[in-house]
Amino acid sequence: MAEKIDMEEAKASNGEALANGLSNPKISSPEPLSQRVKRIVKNNLLVILTVAGVIVGVFIGLTVRNATLTRTQMIYVGFPGEVLIRLLKMIIIPLVVCSLVSGAASIDPKALGKLGGWAMLFFLVTTLIASSIGVVMAFIVNPGVVERGKPTIQGLSDDVPAAKDVIDSFLDLIRNIFPSNLVSAAFQSYGTTYKPITSNGTDGNLTVETVPFPSDQDGMNILGLVVFAIVFGVALRKLGEEGEILIRFFNSFNEATMVIVSWIMWYAPIGIMFLVAGKIVEMENVGMLFASLGKYIACCIIGHAIHGLLIMPAIYFVFTRKNPYTFLWGIFTALATAFGTSSSSATLPLMMKCVEENNGVSKQISRFILPIGATVNMDGAALFQCVAAVFIAQLNNVSLNFVQVITIL
């Protein structure tokens, strides 16, 4: 009897039919190695192609550098990369406006305010952390303490643009939040310039006053478009049934835009490859650059590595209890594009596609938060600018006190 029971258990454990007619779900035939490799490659094909594009681009750039190229030929080398940048910039405005309108319209206004508040708090805290890392690294590495004299870069003049007053910079920010023309906001932003105005004083003497004047500057006013899209989405939700037609229109427009982004993503590895190659070819004298600015460059790179590979993953792990580097692998294509284009706005379409498809982020969250983050959250720039401020102070033998350091932060 015992032997019979053992035989029946053995049959069940081998995956054969049990007494109730069900097979054991825990036992399955192992997947062959070749099929497993194919599945992994298929699921990560775009990331693998992007990595290969970066590596091949470095080799192409180093190889072409040995040839004597004219400036025109250098432009031709980077042309496929330029096409990628133009494609990404082409899709930015419809993507940002439609995603924010549909995202704001799909979220309850109370939840929208709460979500936006948490997002702004996160942006503020992470930017402050990045700034602190930059200042600490600058004081540890001392990039401005050089023995060979002050570093110089060829091609740059000593002319420094006139600095804006703090209040004018703040007022320009507010003016850009409320653009006077939505069409011009797609390619121009507001900026203050100064002109000397001569007038007669009360005592009869001529006085010269520097007066701020409005001027249009080249560059998309993405902040104004973001604010308008959010307000417009909230207004559509307030309309109720009357606003459903427009909400469905923006939702459809947004989905169509994401389809175009998915097409662009498959061109990204080729574009990134030539972007990297073009950047390397354009470097005139890499050895001289690192000899004069090596400590400064190293300080920035180490600071960015600490913030991007340690601090941010740690924050992600604390709140989600998931592997942060799996998340980073899912957005590698967007990170490589950011490396090649040096533009948060140009990388935004690919970032939205990556976090939704590879990392499973909700569309309501990604399409509302990411456009705002690409505009407001600049951790890398904050770190770099703090290092630059300390670097310039050290070059000029200016010792910074505690209050000045807090001002930089």
Side-chain angles (χ1 to χ4, degrees):
M1 185 67 181
E3 291 180 357
K4 185 177 180 181
I5 295 175
D6 291 341
M7 291 178 64
E8 290 179 354
E9 290 179 352
K11 288 181 179 180
S13 64
N14 288 332
E16 296 181 8
L18 299 177
N20 59 3
L22 299 176
S23 60
N24 190 350
K26 296 182 179 179
I27 305 301
S28 60
S29 59
E31 184 181 12
L33 179 61
S34 60
Q35 292 184 3
R36 185 180 180 185
V37 171
K38 288 181 180 179
R39 178 173 56 81
I40 294 175
V41 171
K42 184 179 180 180
N43 293 338
N44 300 278
L45 181 59
L46 186 60
V47 179
I48 294 172
L49 291 176
T50 304
V51 175
V54 173
I55 296 173
V56 174
V58 171
F59 280 105
I60 292 177
L62 294 176
T63 303
V64 175
R65 275 184 61 86
N66 297 328
T68 304
L69 298 181
T70 63
R71 190 67 185 175
T72 303
Q73 291 171 334
M74 291 181 184
I75 295 175
Y76 293 159
V77 170
F79 177 74
E82 180 186 347
V83 172
L84 175 62
I85 296 177
R86 295 179 70 88
L87 288 172
L88 292 173
K89 289 185 176 180
M90 172 193 70
I91 210 73
I92 287 174
I93 292 179
L95 181 66
V96 169
V97 173
C98 294
S99 64
L100 282 174
V101 170
S102 60
S106 62
I107 302 176
D108 183 73
K110 295 181 180 179
L112 182 67
K114 186 177 180 180
L115 179 63
W118 279 110
M120 296 307 296
L121 178 62
F122 176 80
F123 296 156
L124 178 63
V125 172
T126 54
T127 303
L128 184 60
I129 292 174
S131 304
S132 303
I133 293 173
V135 171
V136 171
M137 288 300 304
F139 280 109
I140 292 175
V141 179
N142 290 324
V145 180
V146 292
E147 298 178 356
R148 300 182 182 180
K150 296 182 179 180
T152 57
I153 302 178
Q154 295 181 355
L156 295 181
S157 63
D158 294 332
D159 297 333
V160 179
K164 283 186 182 180
D165 290 340
V166 176
I167 187 171
D168 287 330
S169 299
F170 182 71
L171 293 177
D172 285 352
L173 178 65
I174 298 177
R175 292 184 181 108
N176 282 317
I177 290 176
F178 305 105
S180 59
N181 190 320
L182 288 175
V183 176
S184 63
F187 55 88
Q188 285 182 335
S189 59
Y190 184 94
T192 296
T193 57
Y194 297 95
K195 295 180 181 179
I197 301 296
T198 303
S199 60
N200 293 322
T202 55
D203 55 358
N205 296 325
L206 292 177
T207 58
V208 179
E209 180 184 2
T210 303
V211 179
F213 278 86
S215 66
D216 292 324
Q217 299 176 348
D218 292 335
M220 187 189 311
N221 180 12
I222 191 72
L223 186 61
L225 295 175
V226 164
V227 172
F228 171 79
I230 294 174
V231 174
F232 191 69
V234 174
L236 287 179
R237 184 178 177 87
K238 287 287 186 181
L239 287 177
E241 295 182 358
E242 295 181 359
E244 285 296 326
I245 297 177
L246 267 180
I247 292 175
R248 288 199 297 269
F249 166 78
F250 280 105
N251 288 336
S252 300
F253 203 132
N254 191 32
E255 293 301 326
T257 305
M258 294 305 292
V259 171
I260 297 176
V261 171
S262 65
W263 295 343
I264 297 174
M265 286 180 68
W266 288 105
Y267 176 72
I270 298 175
I272 291 170
M273 178 175 66
F274 285 97
L275 274 175
V276 173
K279 296 291 184 182
I280 294 176
V281 171
E282 290 176 1
M283 294 182 182
E284 295 183 359
N285 193 332
V286 181
M288 183 70 71
L289 178 65
F290 276 91
S292 58
L293 296 172
K295 293 174 69 177
Y296 173 71
I297 296 173
C299 185
C300 291
I301 292 176
I302 295 172
H304 285 110
I306 293 173
H307 185 71
L309 298 178
L310 296 178
I311 302 298
M312 298 297 287
I315 295 175
Y316 177 86
F317 176 77
V318 168
F319 284 96
T320 65
R321 298 297 178 181
K322 296 180 181 179
N323 186 353
Y325 300 104
T326 303
F327 190 93
L328 288 176
W329 178 253
I331 60 172
F332 184 85
T333 301
L335 296 178
T337 306
F339 175 78
T341 60
S342 301
S343 173
S344 300
S345 298
T347 311
L348 178 61
L350 298 187
M351 180 63 78
M352 295 178 68
K353 196 71 175 175
C354 287
V355 297
E356 291 174 10
E357 294 188 352
N358 301 336
N359 294 330
V361 177
S362 169
K363 292 181 179 180
Q364 291 182 344
I365 303 298
S366 64
R367 299 182 184 185
F368 176 73
I369 296 297
L370 287 180
I372 301 175
T375 308
V376 178
N377 190 33
M378 299 287 179
D379 293 358
L383 190 151
F384 154 74
Q385 290 168 5
C386 287
V387 173
V390 179
F391 171 68
I392 294 171
Q394 291 174 349
L395 278 180
N396 293 278
N397 297 320
V398 176
S399 59
L400 298 173
N401 56 37
F402 180 76
V403 176
Q404 291 171 325
V405 170
I406 295 300
T407 302
I408 292 174
L409 293 176

